[in-house]
Amino acid sequence: KDDRKAAIGFMKFLFWFQSLPQFTVALCQGSAMGSGIALLCACDMALSVSAARFTVSEVKLGFCPATLAPFLTRKVGTGNAKRLLCTAENISAEQGKQMGLLSDVVDDEADFSAYMASICEKITSCAPIAMGRAKRLVQNVSLQPLSLKLLEYTGGELADIRIGEEAITGMVAVQAREKPPWADPPIKPLY
C-alpha cells in the first residue's frame, strides 16, 4: 500500500511539474536512469552533454517502470517507449535526441551557459501568461484526434486570450515599435 501511495505521489509531482506555466529546461550533466529520465520527460526541453547515457532498467530488476511510463511514452512515442522500457537498453545522448527524449546535445557542461543564454533571450520576448497558456494548450491537444470539438476548444482558447490585458499590451507595443513590458528586464540563466 505504501509503494502504491509513493508511486502515485511521484507521478502527481511529475504532472504538477510539467504543468507549471513557466518554460522548464533540464540540463543533464551526466547519465540518467529511471526516475531521472522521468524528470527529463516532465521538462519542456532537455539538454544533455554528449557523454551522458540513459537507461530504464526496472525490467532487469523484475518490475515495470510504471511511474515514468506515461511521461516517457508521451515524450518519445509508443515505439521508442516500448524499446526503452522493455529492453532496458542503455542509449547514448545522440540516440536520446533522435528519439525525442532530449531537445539537444552539447559537447560538455561548459556549453550549457551559452545555450541557456540563447533560450533565455527567446523566452524574454514571450508574454508569460501566453506562454503558460500555450503550454497548457499543447498538453490538452496532444494525442487528441482532430475533431470539431478540438477545433472549437482551440478556437475558444484563441478568442479568450486575444482579449486579455497581456495581448492588448503586446499589440500596443508592436504598433509603437517598442519592447513589451515583460521583455525588461531580460531573463538571465541561473546556470
Side-chain angles (χ1 to χ4, degrees):
K1 191 171 183 176
D2 288 341
D3 285 344
R4 178 184 171 93
K5 187 176 180 179
I8 292 170
F10 182 61
M11 288 188 288
K12 284 180 177 179
F13 166 76
L14 293 171
F15 179 77
W16 170 82
F17 192 81
Q18 80 172 14
S19 300
L20 288 171
Q22 295 82 9
F23 191 80
T24 58
V25 181
L27 301 177
C28 191
Q29 301 164 311
S31 298
M33 299 184 288
S35 297
I37 291 177
L39 291 170
L40 292 176
C41 293
C43 289
D44 301 314
M45 187 174 194
L47 180 64
S48 171
V49 295
S50 59
R53 306 289 298 183
F54 303 89
T55 188
V56 182
S57 59
E58 280 85 340
V59 293
K60 287 183 176 181
L61 304 172
F63 56 96
C64 74
T67 56
L68 71 116
F71 302 94
L72 182 68
T73 302
R74 196 159 225 185
K75 189 81 161 183
V76 302
T78 305
N80 286 324
K82 284 181 184 177
R83 175 181 169 181
L84 293 170
L85 298 177
C86 297
T87 68
E89 181 179 357
N90 188 348
I91 63 167
S92 69
E94 278 302 325
Q95 287 173 301
K97 182 180 175 185
Q98 290 169 358
M99 290 181 173
L101 177 65
L102 302 171
S103 307
D104 218 339
V105 176
V106 296
D107 290 331
D108 57 47
E109 193 177 333
D111 297 325
F112 284 158
S113 291
Y115 197 98
M116 285 308 302
S118 172
I119 296 299
C120 288
E121 184 180 322
K122 291 174 178 81
I123 291 173
T124 293
S125 66
C126 299
I129 294 171
M131 186 180 358
R133 299 269 306 258
K135 276 185 63 169
R136 188 178 69 202
L137 183 66
V138 169
Q139 280 187 306
N140 291 344
V141 303
S142 177
L143 306 177
Q144 296 294 322
L146 191 56
S147 66
L148 182 57
K149 182 178 177 180
L150 183 67
L151 298 177
E152 288 171 350
Y153 166 72
T154 57
E157 287 292 300
L158 175 61
D160 185 51
I161 200 160
R162 240 186 197 166
I163 60 172
E165 184 178 328
E166 195 177 69
I168 294 167
T169 302
M171 288 307 296
V172 168
V174 166
Q175 292 170 348
R177 298 180 191 268
E178 297 173 353
K179 283 184 178 181
W182 51 81
D184 242 354
I187 297 169
K188 297 201 188 294
L190 297 176
Y191 194 85

